[in-house]
Amino acid sequence: GTSTAIARSSSMGGSIRLVSTLGSGAVFIVDLPLPEDESRAEPAPSDTLAGPERPILVVEDDGDTLEAAVEILRSAGYRISTAADGWQALESVRQERPRLIVLDLSMPVMDGRQFLTELRRDRRLSSIPVVLMSADGHLKDKATALGSVAYVEKPVDMDLLLATVERHTRLH
C-alpha cells in the first residue's frame, strides 16, 4: 500500500517519512515540492499563524517525540526552536525569548523542574508561558504546582498539543 505512495512522491522530488511512538500511533510526513511560480509572493509574517517572530521552544530529550512535535507545530506555521535538556533550554531562552515553551519534565543534565526554577528566577523570562509535556503521574497537580499554563500527557496526542499551543499563543 505505502510503497506506491513512496515511489510516486519520490518521482515528484518529494519524500514520505514515518514518526511512530509506541502506544500512541504514527504520523506520516509527506514533503512535496511546490511548482515554481515566480508570481507567487511569500506571505508576510503577520499572515502566518505564528504571529510575532518569536519561536515556540520545544524542550524534549526523546527524538521521536521531539520530531513529531516539531513537525506538527511547523506545519501549522510556527517557528520552532528545540533543546534536548533544561540546560540547553536556558541557553536558548536567554539568547532568544520564545513566546511559549513546551517542556518535558524528565530529561538528563537539567530536568524540567530545575529548568522552571531557573526560568522563574529571571524577571525578564519568568512570564513566558510553559506547557508541560510528560508521562509523569499526577501531571495535572504538578502542572499547577509548577505554574504552567497547561499540560499534555505522554504519549502525546499531537492534535491536542497543537490545539493547546494555539490556545496559549493567542492568549499571550
Side-chain angles (χ1 to χ4, degrees):
T2 59
S3 61
T4 302
I6 292 169
R8 181 102 171 149
S9 68
S10 182
S11 71
M12 297 170 65
S15 66
I16 296 179
R17 295 181 292 136
L18 169 69
V19 177
S20 178
T21 304
L22 185 63
S24 67
V27 175
F28 286 89
I29 302 158
V30 180
D31 292 311
L32 294 173
L34 292 173
E36 290 188 32
D37 181 354
E38 304 291 328
S39 64
R40 190 173 152 217
E42 288 296 314
S46 61
D47 293 340
T48 66
L49 291 175
E53 287 299 308
R54 294 190 339 243
I56 304 297
L57 174 61
V58 180
V59 188
E60 171 62 60
D61 63 319
D62 178 74
D64 290 338
T65 303
L66 177 64
E67 184 177 353
V70 167
E71 288 291 332
I72 195 82
L73 294 171
R74 277 196 179 134
S75 70
Y78 290 99
R79 191 164 71 87
I80 305 298
S81 296
T82 63
D85 60 58
W87 185 256
Q88 288 179 1
L90 273 178
E91 293 298 312
S92 178
V93 167
R94 288 174 177 149
Q95 289 176 13
E96 181 178 34
R97 187 180 191 275
R99 65 190 291 207
L100 181 127
I101 299 168
V102 176
L103 177 69
D104 184 17
L105 284 179
S106 301
M107 297 177 293
V109 184
M110 178 188 284
D111 69 18
R113 288 171 194 82
Q114 292 169 312
F115 167 80
L116 281 171
T117 299
E118 292 300 316
L119 185 76
R120 300 301 185 222
R121 285 183 183 161
D122 188 328
R123 282 192 348 234
R124 298 169 298 128
L125 306 174
S126 63
S127 65
I128 299 171
V130 175
V131 173
L132 295 184
M133 180 171 68
S134 185
D136 287 3
H138 307 289
L139 187 56
K140 181 179 181 180
D141 295 336
K142 290 177 184 176
T144 301
L146 294 169
S148 69
V149 296
Y151 65 93
V152 178
E153 293 185 27
K154 288 182 177 179
V156 177
D157 174 336
M158 291 299 161
D159 291 332
L160 176 60
L161 175 63
L162 177 59
T164 302
V165 168
E166 286 176 340
R167 181 172 55 253
H168 291 285
T169 54
R170 279 195 306 264
L171 297 175
H172 296 279

